[in-house]
Amino acid sequence: MECEVVRFQNAKDKWIAFVGLKEGRPYEIFTGLQDDEEGIVLPKTVTQGKIIKVVDEYGSKRYDFQFTNKRGFKTTVEGLSHKFDKEYWNYAKLISGVLRYGMPIDQVIKLVSGLQLDSESINTWKVGVERALKKYIPDGTQIHEQACPQCGQKTLVYQEGCLTCKSCGYSRCG
C-alpha cells in the first residue's frame, strides 16, 4: 500500500506517522515517537514509500515500511507494529478501522480530538495524529458547527489543511 511519512514535533518529542493511502485517501495510520534506540529512524528526505503486510509461517502478522533510497535501492524497516508503544499502536488500529470504512477525514479528526486521555504523552500523540490527517481533508470541506473566532460567521472551510473563513479571510493552520 502506498504510504506518506509525516513528521512532527510536540514539545521536545519528535514523532513520525506513516499514513497508508488507498486511492489517495488515508486508509490506515501508524504513529509513535521517532526514537534512535528502539523506534524508527529514517533519512529526513524520505516522505513516501509502501506499507507491506507480512504474514510469517506461523500466521503472525506484522507491518513493514519500504522506501527507495537516494541510490535507488529498496530499504525495508521491519515490524512497525513492534517499534511503537503498545498504547499508541492500539489507538492507531482503532483510527485505522474508522478510516477503512470511509468516515470523512474531518469527522475522524473530530473523533480523535474528542478522545479523553489521561497521560500527557498520549495527548501529545493525539495532537500529532490530528495534524497528520488534516492535510487529507478535501479543500472546501465546510465546518458547519464551528463559528469563525474573528467574525463569528459559520463559514469555515478547509483549504490546504488550514481552516479558512470565507466571510472575513481568517486562517488558522496546524
Side-chain angles (χ1 to χ4, degrees), residues 30-31 63 80-81 84-93:
F30 306 91
T31 187
Y63 293 89
L80 287 180
S81 51
F84 295 133
D85 181 283
K86 203 172 199 162
E87 187 175 12
Y88 305 140
W89 180 255
N90 284 326
Y91 282 118
K93 277 173 50 176

Side-chain angles (χ1 to χ4, degrees), residues 21-66:
L21 302 172
K22 186 174 183 178
E23 298 171 8
R25 186 184 187 288
Y27 183 78
E28 59 190 2
I29 187 167
F30 306 91
T31 187
L33 285 169
Q34 199 169 296
D35 178 7
D36 294 346
E37 299 294 320
E38 290 290 324
I40 305 289
V41 180
L42 294 176
K44 290 181 180 172
T45 56
V46 175
T47 58
Q48 54 191 1
K50 292 187 183 302
I51 296 287
I52 301 166
K53 185 178 184 177
V54 179
V55 181
D56 68 16
E57 63 271 14
Y58 305 107
S60 296
K61 297 174 197 163
R62 73 167 198 258
Y63 293 89
D64 296 347
F65 174 70
Q66 187 177 78

Side-chain angles (χ1 to χ4, degrees), residues 70-84:
K70 284 184 177 182
R71 294 183 304 257
F73 294 104
K74 290 184 178 165
T75 304
T76 304
V77 177
E78 295 184 349
L80 287 180
S81 51
H82 304 290
K83 302 273 187 199
F84 295 133

Side-chain angles (χ1 to χ4, degrees), residues 6-168:
V6 180
R7 293 171 177 83
F8 51 94
Q9 187 166 339
N10 282 330
K12 294 178 183 174
D13 295 326
K14 292 183 180 183
W15 297 77
I16 191 165
F18 298 86
V19 181
L21 302 172
K22 186 174 183 178
E23 298 171 8
R25 186 184 187 288
Y27 183 78
E28 59 190 2
I29 187 167
F30 306 91
T31 187
L33 285 169
Q34 199 169 296
D35 178 7
D36 294 346
E37 299 294 320
E38 290 290 324
I40 305 289
V41 180
L42 294 176
K44 290 181 180 172
T45 56
V46 175
T47 58
Q48 54 191 1
K50 292 187 183 302
I51 296 287
I52 301 166
K53 185 178 184 177
V54 179
V55 181
D56 68 16
E57 63 271 14
Y58 305 107
S60 296
K61 297 174 197 163
R62 73 167 198 258
Y63 293 89
D64 296 347
F65 174 70
Q66 187 177 78
F67 65 96
T68 303
N69 68 21
K70 284 184 177 182
R71 294 183 304 257
F73 294 104
K74 290 184 178 165
T75 304
T76 304
V77 177
E78 295 184 349
L80 287 180
S81 51
H82 304 290
K83 302 273 187 199
F84 295 133
D85 181 283
K86 203 172 199 162
E87 187 175 12
Y88 305 140
W89 180 255
N90 284 326
Y91 282 118
K93 277 173 50 176
L94 173 70
I95 294 163
S96 294
V98 170
L99 289 169
R100 283 186 186 112
Y101 286 97
M103 181 184 266
I105 304 298
D106 63 310
Q107 294 303 309
V108 175
I109 292 168
K110 188 175 174 183
L111 172 74
V112 171
S113 70
L115 292 172
Q116 301 293 314
L117 306 169
D118 290 337
S119 77
E120 189 165 325
S121 63
I122 195 73
N123 278 310
T124 299
W125 171 86
K126 179 177 88 164
V127 169
V129 170
E130 291 172 42
R131 256 203 203 133
L133 291 175
K134 275 184 183 172
K135 71 181 261 184
Y136 300 101
I137 297 174
D139 283 352
T141 300
Q142 192 160 1
I143 309 302
H144 297 287
E145 66 275 357
Q146 189 177 340
C148 173
Q150 191 164 312
C151 72
Q153 298 295 310
K154 290 191 175 185
T155 55
L156 292 173
V157 296
Y158 276 98
Q159 209 62 38
E160 297 176 14
C162 300
L163 272 181
T164 304
C165 180
K166 291 186 345 186
S167 296
C168 72

